[in-house]
Amino acid sequence: MEGIIAIWQRDLIKFLRDKARLFGSFTMPILFLLIFGGGLSGTMETMMTQNLDVGGDFNYIEFVFPGIVSMTLLMTSVFSAMSVIEDKDFGYMKEILVSPISRVSIAVGKMAGAATVSTIQGIMLFALIPLLGLNYDWISLIQVIPFMFLLGAALSGIGLLFASFINSTQGFQLIVNIIVLPMVFMSGALFPINGMPGWLDVIVKLNPVTYGVDVMKKIMIDVDQLSMTVRETMGLNLTVFGRQVTVFEEILFILAFTALVIAIATLSFKRANA
Amino acid sequence: MNSVIKVSNLVKKYKNVDAVKGINFDVKEGEIFGFLGPNGAGKSTTINMICTMLPSTSGQITINGYDVEKQKDKVRGSIGIIFQENTLDEKLTANENLMLHCRFYNVPKDKRHERIQEVLHIVDLIDEQNQRVEEFSGGMKRRLEIARGLLHYPKVLFLDEPTVGLDPNTRAHLWKYILKLKEQEGITMFLTTHYLDEAEVSDRIAIMDQGEIIAIDSPTALKDELGGDLIELSTEDNDQAIQEIQDKVTGADVTVNGDTIHLKVDSSDAFISNFIKKLDIPITTLNIRKPTLNDVFLAYTGRNIQTNDE
């Protein structure tokens, strides 16, 4: 336990000392919020509510905001796993690997560090809520934070997997960019994923981000007040094998995914000899 | 004295090469054990296996009574390692680096502060403890790494090329700290170095070549084994000089090393005046000395240790 905290704390201290990283990672979500929330919101609303009688009930920005927070979680947590490669480059991984700290603790500590960093960034995005004219219940915002941490942990695991077999930071950034953007687009973060062609639907349903985005939306948006049509339009009736999934099942899926990546990451630290 | 490290029949095979071919040795408690060999001799492979960083093909290693394969965590807790390259976190302060180490090694909470101050005192970094490591000079970084390696009171401290890349002044300074450690703490040290003058501090030296240990003894014994004195000379015509030496001189072992002729004799006092009289070729340089570790190394491996340097 002590080891997990030590590794977690180290990554956190380094994040807080790195001002460029702290603010630099905001540009992407703000850009997306500007483009999708400001520029495209009219178009998206028209497109999504075509042939539907939803009236003024549908607000695209309200729909996309949780999606963009999830996207920030994804990017920050995956990229935070790059610290593993940096530690290998700068030799610090040796210091960790020759110590008696258990290999599971290394994986969990790295994951907790990335999850914390991404949760902090996600919470910082909440500051934009009043500027965007949005109205989320503050209780739901507080409720969503633990889930953001879980999602951050799960997604950082993806980064850890890549970091275990990629040895350069450049290579890591390249591969991660190739992986991350499709994961965002295929998750319902920016637009609803209803009525996708069959093969794309499979990818969407396998993508852990899909469930993350769905849970975020279900917690943050007051779903019960929305009419059935609006829910359908927002893609909030996510079904797997023709069955609508519950928030509980989605969280279970993400937990299972997290456990799986921890196991794989632990194995990779076991065979590593830096 | 008890053995802290026991290595028996240790083998490491890679696909095409046998990197380590069944070596045996013990390191005794409290000694400085020097581990020498040219690059590619299997030194690093051996050390990595001892430090739990690399699985062996066969053989057994125990450290402090723990089996390296089966009790990795116990072994890891018993050793401290000063790596050849920097393994400090430069973005953190000296103190933070040490505190992290305490936590990795489960140093009891109430002892941490005291121990950190203690090791910082040994390496004279008390006043700099709250500076970030990136502001440190090369020598200070090395000292901090040594301090860190001591924090959990390891039974054995591994020093892998501890002074490589440092200027001679800093090297000498660092050795002062290392020897102080041995005197004050009685800590067992496992040392590898390219600088043979540094290896002289060892109580015993093992020379490794091509995956095997070819000699193990104290530096003095190794040098005595070569025996006598060494005369290095160069002449205006070395070929002719060698011919003359072979014709007229007895009791000398002749080898040629580059531009100089090496004569190994039992005692130079009795030999030299007679020898110079016999030689007709004018001598340009002449040097008489006791054998050094490099001569030992040369005798065993046929190579200078320095010329094989990376």
Side-chain angles (χ1 to χ4, degrees):
Chain A
M1 197 61 205
E2 181 79 40
I4 298 178
I5 297 171
I7 287 180
W8 167 79
Q9 205 180 35
R10 169 171 172 261
D11 278 357
L12 205 60
I13 292 174
K14 293 184 73 165
F15 166 73
L16 294 173
R17 283 191 186 159
D18 194 346
K19 298 289 180 294
R21 209 175 124 208
L22 192 56
F23 292 102
S25 50
F26 274 111
T27 50
M28 193 72 136
I30 287 174
L31 194 73
F32 271 67
L33 272 174
L34 277 178
I35 295 173
F36 281 90
L40 285 174
S41 71
T43 325
M44 292 299 276
E45 275 172 32
T46 321
M47 252 166 45
M48 285 161 68
T49 57
Q50 225 171 8
N51 310 325
L52 284 174
D53 180 27
V54 290
D57 274 354
F58 180 66
N59 181 352
Y60 175 70
I61 303 186
E62 195 185 349
F63 163 84
V64 84
F65 185 77
I68 288 189
V69 174
S70 321
M71 186 187 84
T72 310
L73 286 175
L74 171 67
M75 292 191 165
T76 317
S77 55
V78 171
F79 274 109
S80 298
M82 199 159 74
S83 71
V84 172
I85 298 179
E86 283 170 356
D87 286 346
K88 281 190 215 163
D89 274 357
F90 293 110
Y92 198 80
M93 191 48 83
K94 274 194 174 175
E95 154 79 359
I96 297 177
L97 287 176
V98 295
S99 75
I101 174 173
S102 74
R103 311 295 109 158
V104 184
S105 304
I106 303 175
V108 174
K110 280 287 173 192
M111 206 174 249
T116 309
V117 167
S118 58
T119 307
I120 293 173
Q121 299 234 303
I123 293 171
M124 284 167 89
L125 279 182
F126 286 174
L128 296 171
I129 290 175
L131 296 177
L132 293 165
L134 290 174
N135 243 323
Y136 293 111
D137 188 3
W138 65 272
I139 294 179
S140 61
L141 287 184
I142 291 174
Q143 278 173 340
V144 86
I145 291 174
F147 178 73
M148 283 163 67
F149 184 82
L150 171 65
L151 185 60
L155 299 176
S156 70
I158 299 174
L160 281 185
L161 294 191
F162 284 114
S164 69
F165 62 86
I166 299 171
N167 285 322
S168 76
T169 49
Q170 287 95 333
F172 181 81
Q173 281 173 327
L174 194 73
I175 301 284
V176 161
N177 273 323
I178 293 171
I179 297 292
V180 160
L181 279 181
M183 281 179 86
V184 172
F185 291 132
M186 295 296 121
S187 69
L190 305 175
F191 45 81
I193 32 148
N194 318 333
M196 291 268 187
W199 64 276
L200 267 184
D201 198 50
V202 173
I203 298 179
V204 167
K205 299 291 158 63
L206 286 175
N207 183 359
V209 186
T210 304
Y211 306 99
V213 168
D214 198 54
V215 173
M216 295 273 295
K217 284 184 175 162
K218 281 176 178 160
I219 298 177
M220 287 173 79
I221 302 169
D222 194 355
V223 182
D224 292 336
Q225 272 194 359
L226 297 172
S227 69
M228 213 41 215
T229 352
V230 176
R231 271 196 246 172
E232 186 61 44
T233 313
M234 284 184 149
L236 288 179
N237 297 329
L238 187 67
T239 56
V240 176
F241 300 125
R243 211 182 124 260
Q244 195 164 330
V245 290
T246 64
V247 169
F248 179 70
E249 286 166 344
E250 291 176 294
I251 291 180
L252 222 55
F253 172 80
I254 294 171
L255 274 173
F257 180 82
T258 313
L260 178 73
V261 282
I262 287 179
I264 301 176
T266 304
L267 280 179
S268 83
F269 284 122
K270 270 215 169 105
R271 66 180 170 79
N273 54 69
Chain B
M1 262 192 293
N2 291 326
S3 297
V4 190
I5 304 178
K6 283 183 200 155
V7 175
S8 51
N9 301 318
L10 184 66
V11 175
K12 179 71 190 177
K13 285 184 182 160
Y14 290 109
K15 264 181 217 146
N16 314 318
V17 239
D18 293 1
V20 176
K21 303 171 186 165
I23 58 173
N24 294 283
F25 65 87
D26 284 5
V27 177
K28 301 202 168 54
E29 200 166 343
E31 76 174 339
I32 298 185
F33 187 82
F35 201 50
L36 305 181
N39 281 337
K43 252 182 331 170
S44 301
T45 312
T46 306
I47 294 174
N48 281 337
M49 286 190 284
I50 296 176
C51 298
T52 74
M53 300 289 282
L54 191 70
S56 63
T57 309
S58 68
Q60 214 200 4
I61 309 169
T62 54
I63 294 185
N64 197 18
Y66 301 116
D67 186 283
V68 166
E69 295 280 326
K70 295 180 197 123
Q71 294 162 294
K72 280 201 172 78
D73 289 351
K74 294 275 188 199
V75 169
R76 285 173 178 147
S78 312
I79 59 180
I81 309 174
I82 317 297
F83 292 104
Q84 197 169 342
E85 67 274 7
N86 180 26
T87 63
L88 297 162
D89 190 331
E90 305 217 345
K91 297 282 174 208
L92 301 179
T93 66
N95 202 305
E96 285 167 334
N97 267 291
L98 297 178
M99 189 49 97
L100 276 174
H101 188 91
C102 285
R103 300 170 78 173
F104 291 159
Y105 284 81
N106 264 321
V107 174
K109 261 203 177 82
D110 52 327
K111 300 241 171 73
R112 287 177 191 169
H113 179 75
E114 187 189 324
R115 289 233 197 138
I116 288 175
Q117 298 311 312
E118 177 191 329
V119 294
L120 281 170
H121 186 76
I122 295 175
V123 298
D124 270 341
L125 286 173
I126 289 275
D127 295 335
E128 291 86 0
Q129 58 177 299
N130 291 318
Q131 279 178 35
R132 293 211 190 154
V133 175
E134 57 193 351
E135 295 165 12
F136 280 18
S137 68
M140 285 161 81
K141 283 181 194 165
R142 291 266 77 182
R143 269 148 60 196
L144 181 59
E145 287 205 70
I146 291 175
R148 190 179 64 178
L150 295 170
L151 265 182
H152 56 286
Y153 292 165
K155 292 293 281 185
V156 190
L157 189 65
F158 287 82
L159 297 150
D160 188 12
E161 305 279 352
T163 58
V164 84
L166 299 176
D167 60 83
N169 226 337
T170 317
R171 270 173 61 191
H173 204 54
L174 201 64
W175 272 108
K176 231 175 58 194
Y177 289 111
I178 296 176
L179 292 176
K180 192 163 98 186
L181 266 182
K182 180 185 149 71
E183 256 164 50
Q184 287 180 359
E185 319 282 330
I187 202 161
T188 311
M189 295 193 210
F190 191 106
L191 167 76
T192 71
T193 176
H194 267 99
Y195 303 110
L196 287 164
D197 52 327
E198 292 184 349
E200 299 266 359
V201 304
S202 312
D203 297 304
R204 283 188 313 144
I205 287 177
I207 297 179
M208 190 164 183
D209 194 28
Q210 294 175 1
E212 283 166 297
I213 288 185
I214 47 181
I216 272 194
D217 218 327
S218 70
T220 328
L222 284 171
K223 284 182 287 188
D224 285 350
E225 218 169 292
L226 282 189
D229 296 317
L230 205 67
I231 301 169
E232 293 174 326
L233 77 157
S234 52
T235 59
E236 284 177 358
D237 185 346
N238 278 356
D239 291 337
Q240 206 183 324
I242 291 167
Q243 194 60 49
E244 277 187 37
I245 293 167
Q246 275 164 357
D247 290 346
K248 301 178 197 166
V249 181
T250 53
D253 211 353
V254 187
T255 47
V256 183
N257 189 15
D259 285 339
T260 51
I261 301 169
H262 286 198
L263 298 177
K264 218 164 64 188
V265 295
D266 288 340
S267 162
S268 59
D269 296 342
F271 179 84
I272 195 76
S273 59
N274 210 359
F275 168 73
I276 292 173
K277 267 184 232 152
K278 280 183 185 163
L279 214 58
D280 293 332
I281 302 280
I283 294 170
T284 50
T285 64
L286 181 72
N287 182 25
I288 303 166
R289 59 181 175 83
K290 295 279 177 197
T292 64
L293 275 180
N294 195 42
D295 299 313
V296 174
F297 200 78
L298 192 65
Y300 277 110
T301 67
R303 269 164 292 185
N304 279 314
I305 197 166
Q306 301 289 2
T307 48
N308 270 43
D309 214 338
E310 3 291 270

Short mmCIF file of all heavy atoms in Angstrom, two decimals, chain A residues 145-193:
data_model
loop_
_atom_site.label_atom_id
_atom_site.label_comp_id
_atom_site.label_asym_id
_atom_site.label_seq_id
_atom_site.Cartn_x
_atom_site.Cartn_y
_atom_site.Cartn_z
N ILE A 145 -17.85 12.66 -10.00
CA ILE A 145 -16.39 12.69 -9.78
C ILE A 145 -15.80 11.29 -9.51
O ILE A 145 -14.82 10.91 -10.15
CB ILE A 145 -16.02 13.71 -8.69
CG1 ILE A 145 -16.28 15.13 -9.24
CG2 ILE A 145 -14.57 13.57 -8.27
CD1 ILE A 145 -16.11 16.24 -8.24
N PRO A 146 -16.38 10.50 -8.58
CA PRO A 146 -15.80 9.16 -8.37
C PRO A 146 -15.81 8.33 -9.64
O PRO A 146 -14.86 7.58 -9.92
CB PRO A 146 -16.71 8.52 -7.32
CG PRO A 146 -17.54 9.60 -6.77
CD PRO A 146 -17.51 10.76 -7.69
N PHE A 147 -16.87 8.51 -10.44
CA PHE A 147 -16.90 7.75 -11.69
C PHE A 147 -15.81 8.22 -12.65
O PHE A 147 -15.19 7.42 -13.35
CB PHE A 147 -18.27 7.85 -12.36
CG PHE A 147 -18.30 7.12 -13.67
CD1 PHE A 147 -18.32 5.74 -13.68
CD2 PHE A 147 -18.25 7.80 -14.88
CE1 PHE A 147 -18.31 5.05 -14.88
CE2 PHE A 147 -18.22 7.11 -16.08
CZ PHE A 147 -18.26 5.73 -16.08
N MET A 148 -15.55 9.54 -12.66
CA MET A 148 -14.49 10.06 -13.52
C MET A 148 -13.15 9.41 -13.15
O MET A 148 -12.34 9.08 -14.00
CB MET A 148 -14.40 11.58 -13.38
CG MET A 148 -15.49 12.32 -14.14
SD MET A 148 -15.68 14.03 -13.61
CE MET A 148 -14.15 14.76 -14.13
N PHE A 149 -12.97 9.22 -11.82
CA PHE A 149 -11.71 8.60 -11.37
C PHE A 149 -11.62 7.17 -11.88
O PHE A 149 -10.59 6.74 -12.40
CB PHE A 149 -11.65 8.64 -9.84
CG PHE A 149 -10.36 8.11 -9.28
CD1 PHE A 149 -9.24 8.93 -9.21
CD2 PHE A 149 -10.25 6.80 -8.85
CE1 PHE A 149 -8.04 8.45 -8.72
CE2 PHE A 149 -9.06 6.31 -8.36
CZ PHE A 149 -7.96 7.14 -8.29
N LEU A 150 -12.72 6.44 -11.76
CA LEU A 150 -12.72 5.05 -12.23
C LEU A 150 -12.45 4.98 -13.73
O LEU A 150 -11.63 4.19 -14.20
CB LEU A 150 -14.07 4.40 -11.92
CG LEU A 150 -14.31 3.02 -12.55
CD1 LEU A 150 -13.33 2.00 -12.00
CD2 LEU A 150 -15.74 2.55 -12.33
N LEU A 151 -13.14 5.86 -14.47
CA LEU A 151 -12.95 5.86 -15.92
C LEU A 151 -11.50 6.22 -16.26
O LEU A 151 -10.88 5.59 -17.12
CB LEU A 151 -13.93 6.86 -16.55
CG LEU A 151 -13.96 6.90 -18.08
CD1 LEU A 151 -14.34 5.55 -18.65
CD2 LEU A 151 -14.94 7.97 -18.58
N GLY A 152 -10.96 7.22 -15.56
CA GLY A 152 -9.57 7.60 -15.77
C GLY A 152 -8.64 6.43 -15.53
O GLY A 152 -7.69 6.19 -16.29
N ALA A 153 -8.89 5.66 -14.47
CA ALA A 153 -8.06 4.50 -14.14
C ALA A 153 -8.13 3.47 -15.26
O ALA A 153 -7.11 2.96 -15.73
CB ALA A 153 -8.50 3.89 -12.82
N ALA A 154 -9.35 3.18 -15.70
CA ALA A 154 -9.54 2.17 -16.75
C ALA A 154 -8.79 2.58 -18.02
O ALA A 154 -8.06 1.79 -18.61
CB ALA A 154 -11.01 1.99 -17.05
N LEU A 155 -8.95 3.86 -18.39
CA LEU A 155 -8.37 4.31 -19.65
C LEU A 155 -6.86 4.45 -19.55
O LEU A 155 -6.15 4.20 -20.52
CB LEU A 155 -9.02 5.63 -20.08
CG LEU A 155 -10.53 5.52 -20.32
CD1 LEU A 155 -11.13 6.87 -20.65
CD2 LEU A 155 -10.84 4.53 -21.43
N SER A 156 -6.36 4.81 -18.36
CA SER A 156 -4.90 4.90 -18.22
C SER A 156 -4.28 3.52 -18.42
O SER A 156 -3.14 3.39 -18.84
CB SER A 156 -4.52 5.45 -16.85
OG SER A 156 -4.81 4.51 -15.85
N GLY A 157 -5.06 2.48 -18.10
CA GLY A 157 -4.59 1.11 -18.33
C GLY A 157 -4.25 0.87 -19.78
O GLY A 157 -3.28 0.18 -20.10
N ILE A 158 -5.06 1.48 -20.68
CA ILE A 158 -4.75 1.36 -22.11
C ILE A 158 -3.38 1.95 -22.38
O ILE A 158 -2.56 1.37 -23.08
CB ILE A 158 -5.83 2.08 -22.95
CG1 ILE A 158 -7.20 1.43 -22.68
CG2 ILE A 158 -5.49 2.04 -24.43
CD1 ILE A 158 -8.36 2.15 -23.35
N GLY A 159 -3.14 3.13 -21.78
CA GLY A 159 -1.83 3.76 -21.93
C GLY A 159 -0.71 2.88 -21.39
O GLY A 159 0.34 2.75 -22.00
N LEU A 160 -0.96 2.25 -20.23
CA LEU A 160 0.08 1.39 -19.61
C LEU A 160 0.41 0.22 -20.53
O LEU A 160 1.57 -0.19 -20.65
CB LEU A 160 -0.41 0.85 -18.27
CG LEU A 160 -0.34 1.77 -17.06
CD1 LEU A 160 -0.75 1.03 -15.81
CD2 LEU A 160 1.08 2.31 -16.90
N LEU A 161 -0.63 -0.33 -21.17
CA LEU A 161 -0.38 -1.45 -22.08
C LEU A 161 0.53 -1.03 -23.21
O LEU A 161 1.49 -1.72 -23.55
CB LEU A 161 -1.71 -1.97 -22.67
CG LEU A 161 -2.68 -2.60 -21.70
CD1 LEU A 161 -3.79 -3.30 -22.45
CD2 LEU A 161 -1.95 -3.60 -20.81
N PHE A 162 0.25 0.14 -23.79
CA PHE A 162 1.12 0.61 -24.88
C PHE A 162 2.51 0.90 -24.36
O PHE A 162 3.50 0.56 -24.99
CB PHE A 162 0.51 1.85 -25.54
CG PHE A 162 -0.64 1.55 -26.43
CD1 PHE A 162 -1.92 1.98 -26.13
CD2 PHE A 162 -0.46 0.78 -27.58
CE1 PHE A 162 -3.00 1.68 -26.95
CE2 PHE A 162 -1.52 0.47 -28.40
CZ PHE A 162 -2.80 0.92 -28.08
N ALA A 163 2.57 1.53 -23.18
CA ALA A 163 3.88 1.90 -22.62
C ALA A 163 4.72 0.67 -22.34
O ALA A 163 5.94 0.74 -22.32
CB ALA A 163 3.69 2.71 -21.34
N SER A 164 4.08 -0.49 -22.14
CA SER A 164 4.86 -1.67 -21.80
C SER A 164 5.64 -2.21 -22.98
O SER A 164 6.63 -2.89 -22.81
CB SER A 164 3.96 -2.75 -21.20
OG SER A 164 3.10 -3.26 -22.19
N PHE A 165 5.18 -1.92 -24.20
CA PHE A 165 5.98 -2.44 -25.33
C PHE A 165 6.52 -1.35 -26.26
O PHE A 165 7.21 -1.66 -27.22
CB PHE A 165 5.23 -3.52 -26.12
CG PHE A 165 3.95 -3.07 -26.76
CD1 PHE A 165 3.98 -2.48 -28.02
CD2 PHE A 165 2.73 -3.25 -26.12
CE1 PHE A 165 2.81 -2.06 -28.62
CE2 PHE A 165 1.55 -2.83 -26.73
CZ PHE A 165 1.59 -2.24 -27.98
N ILE A 166 6.23 -0.09 -25.98
CA ILE A 166 6.82 0.98 -26.79
C ILE A 166 7.92 1.63 -25.96
O ILE A 166 7.73 1.90 -24.78
CB ILE A 166 5.76 2.03 -27.17
CG1 ILE A 166 4.66 1.38 -28.00
CG2 ILE A 166 6.39 3.17 -27.96
CD1 ILE A 166 3.46 2.26 -28.25
N ASN A 167 9.07 1.86 -26.60
CA ASN A 167 10.19 2.35 -25.81
C ASN A 167 10.56 3.80 -26.03
O ASN A 167 11.48 4.31 -25.41
CB ASN A 167 11.43 1.47 -26.03
CG ASN A 167 11.27 0.16 -25.31
OD1 ASN A 167 10.74 0.12 -24.20
ND2 ASN A 167 11.68 -0.92 -25.94
N SER A 168 9.87 4.49 -26.93
CA SER A 168 10.20 5.90 -27.10
C SER A 168 8.95 6.74 -26.92
O SER A 168 7.84 6.31 -27.25
CB SER A 168 10.78 6.15 -28.50
OG SER A 168 9.75 6.13 -29.46
N THR A 169 9.14 7.94 -26.36
CA THR A 169 7.99 8.80 -26.11
C THR A 169 7.36 9.23 -27.44
O THR A 169 6.14 9.34 -27.53
CB THR A 169 8.40 10.05 -25.32
OG1 THR A 169 9.54 10.63 -25.94
CG2 THR A 169 8.73 9.69 -23.89
N GLN A 170 8.20 9.43 -28.47
CA GLN A 170 7.64 9.83 -29.77
C GLN A 170 6.72 8.74 -30.32
O GLN A 170 5.62 9.01 -30.77
CB GLN A 170 8.75 10.10 -30.80
CG GLN A 170 9.50 11.38 -30.56
CD GLN A 170 10.76 11.14 -29.77
OE1 GLN A 170 10.85 10.17 -28.99
NE2 GLN A 170 11.75 11.99 -29.93
N GLY A 171 7.22 7.51 -30.29
CA GLY A 171 6.44 6.39 -30.79
C GLY A 171 5.13 6.26 -30.04
O GLY A 171 4.08 6.04 -30.62
N PHE A 172 5.23 6.45 -28.72
CA PHE A 172 4.05 6.35 -27.88
C PHE A 172 3.00 7.38 -28.28
O PHE A 172 1.83 7.07 -28.47
CB PHE A 172 4.46 6.54 -26.41
CG PHE A 172 3.32 6.42 -25.44
CD1 PHE A 172 2.87 5.17 -25.03
CD2 PHE A 172 2.69 7.54 -24.93
CE1 PHE A 172 1.83 5.05 -24.13
CE2 PHE A 172 1.65 7.43 -24.03
CZ PHE A 172 1.22 6.18 -23.64
N GLN A 173 3.46 8.63 -28.46
CA GLN A 173 2.52 9.70 -28.82
C GLN A 173 1.84 9.40 -30.15
O GLN A 173 0.64 9.60 -30.30
CB GLN A 173 3.24 11.04 -28.89
CG GLN A 173 3.45 11.61 -27.50
CD GLN A 173 4.30 12.85 -27.51
OE1 GLN A 173 5.21 12.98 -28.32
NE2 GLN A 173 4.03 13.76 -26.61
N LEU A 174 2.63 8.90 -31.08
CA LEU A 174 2.10 8.60 -32.41
C LEU A 174 1.01 7.53 -32.32
O LEU A 174 -0.12 7.72 -32.78
CB LEU A 174 3.25 8.12 -33.30
CG LEU A 174 2.93 8.08 -34.78
CD1 LEU A 174 2.88 9.49 -35.33
CD2 LEU A 174 3.97 7.26 -35.52
N ILE A 175 1.35 6.41 -31.70
CA ILE A 175 0.41 5.29 -31.61
C ILE A 175 -0.84 5.72 -30.84
O ILE A 175 -1.97 5.44 -31.25
CB ILE A 175 1.06 4.09 -30.88
CG1 ILE A 175 2.33 3.63 -31.62
CG2 ILE A 175 0.07 2.95 -30.73
CD1 ILE A 175 2.09 2.85 -32.87
N VAL A 176 -0.63 6.43 -29.74
CA VAL A 176 -1.76 6.81 -28.91
C VAL A 176 -2.71 7.75 -29.66
O VAL A 176 -3.92 7.62 -29.58
CB VAL A 176 -1.26 7.45 -27.59
CG1 VAL A 176 -2.35 8.26 -26.93
CG2 VAL A 176 -0.78 6.35 -26.66
N ASN A 177 -2.13 8.68 -30.46
CA ASN A 177 -2.99 9.55 -31.25
C ASN A 177 -3.83 8.77 -32.24
O ASN A 177 -4.99 9.08 -32.47
CB ASN A 177 -2.15 10.59 -31.99
CG ASN A 177 -1.91 11.80 -31.12
OD1 ASN A 177 -2.80 12.20 -30.38
ND2 ASN A 177 -0.73 12.36 -31.19
N ILE A 178 -3.21 7.74 -32.82
CA ILE A 178 -3.94 6.92 -33.79
C ILE A 178 -5.10 6.20 -33.10
O ILE A 178 -6.17 6.03 -33.66
CB ILE A 178 -2.98 5.90 -34.46
CG1 ILE A 178 -1.97 6.65 -35.32
CG2 ILE A 178 -3.77 4.89 -35.29
CD1 ILE A 178 -0.85 5.77 -35.84
N ILE A 179 -4.87 5.80 -31.85
CA ILE A 179 -5.88 5.01 -31.13
C ILE A 179 -6.95 5.91 -30.49
O ILE A 179 -8.13 5.60 -30.50
CB ILE A 179 -5.17 4.18 -30.02
CG1 ILE A 179 -4.20 3.19 -30.64
CG2 ILE A 179 -6.19 3.47 -29.14
CD1 ILE A 179 -4.83 2.09 -31.43
N VAL A 180 -6.49 7.03 -29.93
CA VAL A 180 -7.39 7.82 -29.08
C VAL A 180 -8.52 8.50 -29.86
O VAL A 180 -9.68 8.46 -29.45
CB VAL A 180 -6.57 8.86 -28.28
CG1 VAL A 180 -7.45 9.98 -27.77
CG2 VAL A 180 -5.89 8.17 -27.11
N LEU A 181 -8.20 9.12 -31.00
CA LEU A 181 -9.24 9.85 -31.72
C LEU A 181 -10.39 8.94 -32.17
O LEU A 181 -11.55 9.26 -31.94
CB LEU A 181 -8.65 10.66 -32.87
CG LEU A 181 -8.04 11.99 -32.39
CD1 LEU A 181 -7.47 12.77 -33.57
CD2 LEU A 181 -9.05 12.85 -31.64
N PRO A 182 -10.11 7.78 -32.80
CA PRO A 182 -11.22 6.89 -33.13
C PRO A 182 -12.02 6.47 -31.90
O PRO A 182 -13.24 6.34 -31.97
CB PRO A 182 -10.53 5.67 -33.75
CG PRO A 182 -9.21 6.15 -34.20
CD PRO A 182 -8.82 7.26 -33.29
N MET A 183 -11.31 6.30 -30.76
CA MET A 183 -12.04 5.92 -29.54
C MET A 183 -13.02 7.01 -29.14
O MET A 183 -14.10 6.74 -28.63
CB MET A 183 -11.07 5.65 -28.39
CG MET A 183 -10.40 4.29 -28.47
SD MET A 183 -9.25 4.02 -27.13
CE MET A 183 -10.34 3.40 -25.87
N VAL A 184 -12.63 8.28 -29.37
CA VAL A 184 -13.53 9.38 -29.05
C VAL A 184 -14.72 9.39 -30.02
O VAL A 184 -15.87 9.45 -29.61
CB VAL A 184 -12.78 10.73 -29.14
CG1 VAL A 184 -13.75 11.89 -29.00
CG2 VAL A 184 -11.71 10.80 -28.06
N PHE A 185 -14.41 9.26 -31.31
CA PHE A 185 -15.48 9.34 -32.31
C PHE A 185 -16.44 8.16 -32.21
O PHE A 185 -17.62 8.28 -32.47
CB PHE A 185 -14.88 9.44 -33.72
CG PHE A 185 -14.19 10.75 -33.96
CD1 PHE A 185 -12.92 10.80 -34.51
CD2 PHE A 185 -14.82 11.94 -33.63
CE1 PHE A 185 -12.29 12.02 -34.72
CE2 PHE A 185 -14.19 13.16 -33.83
CZ PHE A 185 -12.92 13.20 -34.37
N MET A 186 -15.91 7.00 -31.83
CA MET A 186 -16.73 5.79 -31.77
C MET A 186 -17.32 5.57 -30.39
O MET A 186 -17.49 4.44 -29.96
CB MET A 186 -15.88 4.56 -32.15
CG MET A 186 -15.37 4.54 -33.56
SD MET A 186 -16.73 4.43 -34.69
CE MET A 186 -16.48 5.91 -35.63
N SER A 187 -17.58 6.66 -29.66
CA SER A 187 -18.04 6.46 -28.29
C SER A 187 -19.33 7.19 -27.97
O SER A 187 -19.89 7.05 -26.91
CB SER A 187 -16.97 6.97 -27.32
OG SER A 187 -16.91 8.37 -27.40
N GLY A 188 -19.80 8.01 -28.91
CA GLY A 188 -20.99 8.80 -28.61
C GLY A 188 -20.67 10.04 -27.81
O GLY A 188 -21.56 10.69 -27.28
N ALA A 189 -19.37 10.39 -27.71
CA ALA A 189 -19.00 11.57 -26.95
C ALA A 189 -19.44 12.84 -27.66
O ALA A 189 -19.95 13.77 -27.04
CB ALA A 189 -17.49 11.60 -26.71
N LEU A 190 -19.27 12.87 -28.99
CA LEU A 190 -19.52 14.10 -29.73
C LEU A 190 -20.83 14.06 -30.50
O LEU A 190 -21.43 15.09 -30.77
CB LEU A 190 -18.35 14.37 -30.69
CG LEU A 190 -16.97 14.42 -30.03
CD1 LEU A 190 -15.89 14.57 -31.07
CD2 LEU A 190 -16.90 15.58 -29.04
N PHE A 191 -21.24 12.89 -30.91
CA PHE A 191 -22.53 12.76 -31.61
C PHE A 191 -23.12 11.41 -31.25
O PHE A 191 -22.40 10.49 -30.88
CB PHE A 191 -22.35 12.89 -33.13
CG PHE A 191 -21.20 12.10 -33.67
CD1 PHE A 191 -21.33 10.74 -33.93
CD2 PHE A 191 -19.97 12.71 -33.90
CE1 PHE A 191 -20.26 10.02 -34.43
CE2 PHE A 191 -18.90 11.99 -34.38
CZ PHE A 191 -19.04 10.63 -34.65
N PRO A 192 -24.45 11.29 -31.34
CA PRO A 192 -25.07 10.03 -30.93
C PRO A 192 -24.63 8.89 -31.85
O PRO A 192 -24.30 9.12 -33.01
CB PRO A 192 -26.57 10.30 -31.09
CG PRO A 192 -26.71 11.72 -31.45
CD PRO A 192 -25.41 12.27 -31.85
N ILE A 193 -24.62 7.71 -31.30
CA ILE A 193 -24.13 6.57 -32.06
C ILE A 193 -25.26 5.61 -32.40
O ILE A 193 -25.06 4.43 -32.57
CB ILE A 193 -23.01 5.85 -31.29
CG1 ILE A 193 -23.27 5.95 -29.79
CG2 ILE A 193 -21.65 6.40 -31.61
CD1 ILE A 193 -22.84 4.83 -28.99
#
